[in-house]
Amino acid sequence: MAVSILDVAKRANVSISTVSRVVNRSELVNAKTRARVETAINELGYRPNAFARGLMLRRSEIVGLVLPDLHGEFYSEIIRGANIQARESGYNLVVFSARDRDDSQPLLNAIQRRTLLDGIAVMVSELTDRTQEVLAQVPMPVVVLDGDVNGGPHDNVVINQREGAVALMRHVVHACGARRMLFIGGLETNVDTIARYEACRQVLAEIGRDIDPADVFHLDYEYETAYNLGTQRISDWIGDGNCVFAANDEMAAGILAAANAAGIAVPQQLAVVGFDDTRVARMTHPPLTTVRVPMSRMGASAIELLCERIGDMERPPRRVSLSPELVIRESCGHALRV
Amino acid sequence: MAVSILDVAKRANVSISTVSRVVNRSELVNAKTRARVETAINELGYRPNAFARGLMLRRSEIVGLVLPDLHGEFYSEIIRGANIQARESGYNLVVFSARDRDDSQPLLNAIQRRTLLDGIAVMVSELTDRTQEVLAQVPMPVVVLDGDVNGGPHDNVVINQREGAVALMRHVVHACGARRMLFIGGLETNVDTIARYEACRQVLAEIGRDIDPADVFHLDYEYETAYNLGTQRISDWIGDGNCVFAANDEMAAGILAAANAAGIAVPQQLAVVGFDDTRVARMTHPPLTTVRVPMSRMGASAIELLCERIGDMERPPRRVSLSPELVIRESCGHALRV
DNA sequence: TTGAAAGCGCTAACAG
DNA sequence: CTGTTAGCGCTTTCAA
């Protein structure tokens, strides 16, 4: 049996309250007594029981992070940022993967069923009514990551995607002379995909153009899928002023690979741009023009917000908006080395 | 204040013991009583307090995973596998990043200080005496991941790296005719790097050759660093029968990029092989011949072992050995499409 | 089959 | 400055 506060108290000839005070840095303890207690603690190797502590304090110092998936650099970086921030704020981080399409019930169960969590950050990328409803039921502080829940009751971290996508599109259109866009996104319900697509149309509209519905594809954010699509269709896409806008770098890389395989020169015969600026963006040929999404900062901000909220439940909900940044490389006409 | 077991008991006109029994699936409860209690539970939205529960049961159903770093696909996949398995075994997963070079004290502190963890899986990639010592002190079940701690007191998951690296080298030497190897690894103390380097020398020895110390480089597993090295040195490396063995795919990709930039044809003028079979291996030009390391299974196995251990503290330590698999693509001579 | 009661280890009034 | 004591919410003998 582990050593308890009572063992320490006996050893140091004090009461358990005194030991408790010493442990909790209460400087309410006489220096000599404190020294004696600390000695006892060290000699015995005493560590406070986290359950008993939590039972009194109602805090576990553990927060959760729910992501749609754990696959790929995007989520991995979010986790990394979240983890660093959690540690910084004195919390541990538990990771969840939602995975199940629109059925958020398992998630909710996982979270609701006797959990020690002090709070939870949820990344929402398919925002349905159901999701809203589920989030409303979570019996602890919630921070919503990337879901554009205006006026929702929760603290909220959003990426100003629109801004980044518009900057990218303006570059593509004005600096690179794109006229016909081919849009390759994720699911139609995916909030990121929607924002990027809207931006695409908006900027096209600015020059009096639109996108042909036949030039819009909804895939799954994967390299292979995009590669396959590219292999099939790319010959239809070639042309001066034509540009593929893939909603993430992996798909863009897939298109680029398909282009290479087909002997198509990028950006001369076809421009390609991506989104996110994950590592792969620097590894493609040519390197990808893309938009840098501050992935790890997204994770970090969400956790920061969450920990602040846990510390002050009365504070009005806050929204943090992170801005992406255009990264110009060589896949779309203007060969400005970065 | 949340609803407690007492509230339920009152509502259902039973004692708290009965509620407790119902909750814990004890079929020791009369069907009618149980129904009444369950109704009360649902009406009140009762969820057992995890702290109180843990205080009695001494279990949090949370396990930890300590990784050297959280950067990159390798660790990300380990987390993914670990997370899936944890969930499967009924646990939550807390992720730690050790990060600090050889100073494992912070880690130990983080873990020892009042933690709720039921156990912990630690990935050890720089195995020093200090590490051993630290691990011995962790006051909970420990599974060591990838550290070749023979006869250590802990359960252990290892990758049979040697086997994979030897298979790769045999392919490179016998099928592709490599004679001069250029080895690009991580730190000299890194256990993976050591194993791969040893295998390299072993197979070279089998054909009566050795590696020139000047052809051995210790970098940091990063794309950029390898790219820079390649840019500087690659002209010295060209030659029939010459082959770069990078200790991970990212570095191999960096070399490949440097080769492309220098107009060097791979594998005709220089062969390149990697290790891990991360996503990037399929995205390079040409695609990389490499060794597939079962990353997510590593994470899963570690957690599985850990959960089993938690369930039975008496069981003798077990070791799980995972085998990597040679993946032949096009970067080293034999263009067998995979 | 159910209830009463004894803690699990700790924190926080409240006294002294 | 220190000790006494009353819980926190739950599981689990032990009796009934």
Side-chain angles (χ1 to χ4, degrees):
Chain A
M1 185 63 54
V3 355
S4 84
I5 197 171
L6 188 59
D7 301 317
V8 177
K10 282 180 186 160
R11 175 94 165 210
N13 265 312
V14 295
S15 75
I16 59 169
S17 345
T18 300
V19 178
S20 178
R21 288 193 194 100
V22 170
V23 167
N24 297 316
R25 309 262 168 275
S26 297
E27 316 313 45
L28 310 168
V29 181
N30 178 302
K32 272 182 186 164
T33 319
R34 182 167 57 218
R36 216 167 58 227
V37 172
E38 275 162 353
T39 308
I41 287 177
N42 292 330
E43 285 173 356
L44 263 34
Y46 166 70
R47 302 179 311 122
N49 179 307
F51 294 110
R53 200 153 203 280
L55 189 51
M56 289 303 297
L57 267 33
R58 327 196 85 70
R59 314 221 290 102
S60 61
E61 287 161 356
I62 298 177
V63 291
L65 174 64
V66 182
L67 297 177
D69 188 3
L70 299 186
H71 226 119
E73 179 180 345
F74 190 81
Y75 299 117
S76 148
E77 282 294 295
I78 291 178
I79 293 177
R80 199 172 60 84
N83 197 61
I84 291 170
Q85 181 61 48
R87 217 63 69 190
E88 189 131 317
S89 307
Y91 285 77
N92 286 321
L93 184 74
V94 172
V95 180
F96 297 81
S97 166
R99 213 61 189 96
D100 318 79
R101 282 284 158 212
D102 58 348
D103 184 72
S104 5
Q105 203 54 56
L107 167 63
L108 187 63
N109 281 342
I111 295 170
Q112 282 199 335
R113 241 178 96 82
R114 24 175 119 118
T115 313
L116 294 154
L117 304 184
D118 288 341
I120 194 158
V122 182
M123 175 154 181
V124 172
S125 46
E126 318 278 339
L127 194 60
T128 63
D129 293 351
R130 182 90 192 92
T131 317
Q132 291 276 26
E133 200 181 302
V134 166
L135 288 180
Q137 284 177 44
V138 177
M140 61 183 93
V142 171
V143 171
V144 175
L145 183 49
D146 200 20
D148 232 327
V149 207
N150 277 303
H154 305 116
D155 296 285
N156 196 341
V157 176
V158 295
I159 312 303
N160 197 335
Q161 304 227 38
R162 195 61 179 259
E163 181 186 315
V166 164
L168 175 66
M169 280 298 301
R170 294 235 170 93
H171 172 77
V172 156
V173 165
H174 297 119
C176 310
R179 288 300 171 264
R180 174 184 169 200
M181 295 301 299
L182 297 122
F183 183 84
I184 304 183
L187 289 180
E188 296 181 62
T189 51
N190 182 287
V191 291
D192 297 339
T193 293
I194 293 168
R196 290 160 202 185
Y197 179 62
E198 297 286 309
C200 185
R201 295 194 59 189
Q202 174 192 323
V203 175
L204 241 23
E206 290 171 8
I207 57 165
R209 300 211 162 229
D210 197 0
I211 187 166
D212 183 341
D215 286 344
V216 176
F217 304 89
H218 288 285
L219 309 183
D220 58 358
Y221 282 113
E222 297 288 337
Y223 173 87
E224 243 95 31
T225 326
Y227 179 85
N228 293 337
L229 178 71
T231 304
Q232 274 178 245
R233 308 286 194 113
I234 204 162
S235 54
D236 300 340
W237 298 347
I238 304 175
D240 197 38
N242 293 4
C243 176
V244 174
F245 178 1
N248 75 347
D249 293 337
E250 295 241 341
M251 292 195 291
I255 299 299
L256 242 24
N260 286 327
I264 292 167
V266 175
Q268 293 78 8
Q269 295 176 267
L270 178 67
V272 177
V273 296
F275 214 102
D276 290 348
D277 195 33
T278 48
R279 276 147 104 114
V280 63
R282 270 165 298 138
M283 301 187 192
T284 55
H285 299 278
L288 267 178
T289 287
T290 184
V291 174
R292 179 173 304 147
V293 174
M295 300 168 282
S296 70
R297 210 175 324 154
M298 287 170 65
S301 296
I303 298 301
E304 192 179 9
L305 232 44
L306 183 55
C307 295
E308 287 174 15
R309 157 71 50 211
I310 293 169
D312 174 7
M313 295 297 283
E314 306 309 321
R315 204 192 57 183
R318 232 201 282 174
R319 150 175 302 221
V320 169
S321 174
L322 268 21
S323 287
E325 179 191 345
L326 178 61
V327 178
I328 298 169
R329 295 206 180 86
E330 300 159 31
S331 65
C332 74
H334 259 217
L336 308 177
R337 257 262 167 228
V338 165
Chain B
M1 185 62 53
V3 357
S4 85
I5 196 171
L6 188 59
D7 302 316
V8 178
K10 283 179 185 160
R11 175 95 167 208
N13 264 313
V14 295
S15 74
I16 59 169
S17 340
T18 300
V19 178
S20 177
R21 288 193 193 99
V22 170
V23 167
N24 298 316
R25 310 259 167 276
S26 298
E27 317 312 49
L28 309 168
V29 181
N30 179 303
K32 273 182 186 163
T33 318
R34 183 167 57 216
R36 216 168 57 228
V37 172
E38 276 163 352
T39 307
I41 287 177
N42 292 330
E43 286 174 356
L44 264 34
Y46 166 70
R47 303 180 308 122
N49 178 304
F51 294 111
R53 199 152 204 279
L55 190 52
M56 290 303 296
L57 266 33
R58 328 196 82 68
R59 313 217 294 101
S60 61
E61 287 161 355
I62 298 176
V63 291
L65 174 64
V66 182
L67 296 177
D69 189 1
L70 299 186
H71 225 118
E73 181 180 345
F74 190 81
Y75 299 117
S76 147
E77 281 294 293
I78 291 179
I79 293 176
R80 200 173 59 86
N83 197 61
I84 292 170
Q85 180 62 48
R87 218 62 67 189
E88 188 131 318
S89 306
Y91 285 78
N92 287 321
L93 185 73
V94 171
V95 181
F96 297 81
S97 166
R99 214 57 188 99
D100 318 80
R101 282 285 156 210
D102 57 348
D103 185 72
S104 4
Q105 204 54 54
L107 167 63
L108 186 63
N109 282 341
I111 296 170
Q112 282 199 335
R113 242 176 98 83
R114 29 175 116 120
T115 313
L116 295 153
L117 304 184
D118 288 341
I120 195 160
V122 182
M123 175 154 183
V124 172
S125 46
E126 318 278 340
L127 194 60
T128 63
D129 293 351
R130 184 87 195 95
T131 317
Q132 291 276 27
E133 201 181 302
V134 167
L135 288 180
Q137 285 177 44
V138 177
M140 63 183 92
V142 171
V143 170
V144 175
L145 182 50
D146 200 22
D148 232 328
V149 207
N150 277 301
H154 305 116
D155 296 285
N156 197 341
V157 175
V158 295
I159 312 302
N160 198 333
Q161 306 227 36
R162 193 62 176 257
E163 182 186 313
V166 164
L168 175 66
M169 280 299 299
R170 292 232 171 95
H171 172 76
V172 156
V173 164
H174 297 119
C176 310
R179 290 298 172 264
R180 175 184 169 201
M181 296 301 297
L182 296 122
F183 183 84
I184 303 182
L187 290 180
E188 295 182 62
T189 51
N190 181 286
V191 293
D192 296 339
T193 293
I194 293 169
R196 289 160 201 186
Y197 179 61
E198 297 284 309
C200 184
R201 295 194 60 189
Q202 174 192 325
V203 175
L204 241 23
E206 290 172 7
I207 57 165
R209 299 210 164 231
D210 197 359
I211 187 167
D212 183 339
D215 286 345
V216 177
F217 303 89
H218 288 285
L219 310 182
D220 59 359
Y221 282 112
E222 297 288 338
Y223 173 87
E224 243 94 30
T225 326
Y227 178 85
N228 292 337
L229 178 72
T231 304
Q232 273 177 246
R233 308 285 194 113
I234 204 162
S235 54
D236 300 339
W237 298 347
I238 304 173
D240 197 37
N242 293 3
C243 177
V244 173
F245 179 0
N248 75 346
D249 293 337
E250 295 242 339
M251 291 194 292
I255 299 299
L256 242 25
N260 286 329
I264 292 167
V266 176
Q268 293 78 6
Q269 296 176 267
L270 178 66
V272 176
V273 296
F275 213 99
D276 290 348
D277 195 33
T278 46
R279 277 147 102 114
V280 62
R282 271 164 299 138
M283 300 188 193
T284 55
H285 298 278
L288 267 178
T289 287
T290 186
V291 174
R292 177 172 306 148
V293 174
M295 299 169 280
S296 70
R297 210 176 322 154
M298 287 170 65
S301 296
I303 297 302
E304 192 178 11
L305 232 43
L306 182 56
C307 295
E308 286 174 17
R309 155 73 50 212
I310 292 167
D312 175 7
M313 296 296 284
E314 306 307 321
R315 203 192 58 182
R318 232 202 280 174
R319 151 176 301 224
V320 169
S321 175
L322 266 23
S323 287
E325 179 191 346
L326 179 61
V327 179
I328 298 170
R329 294 205 181 87
E330 299 159 32
S331 66
C332 73
H334 259 220
L336 309 176
R337 257 261 166 227
V338 163

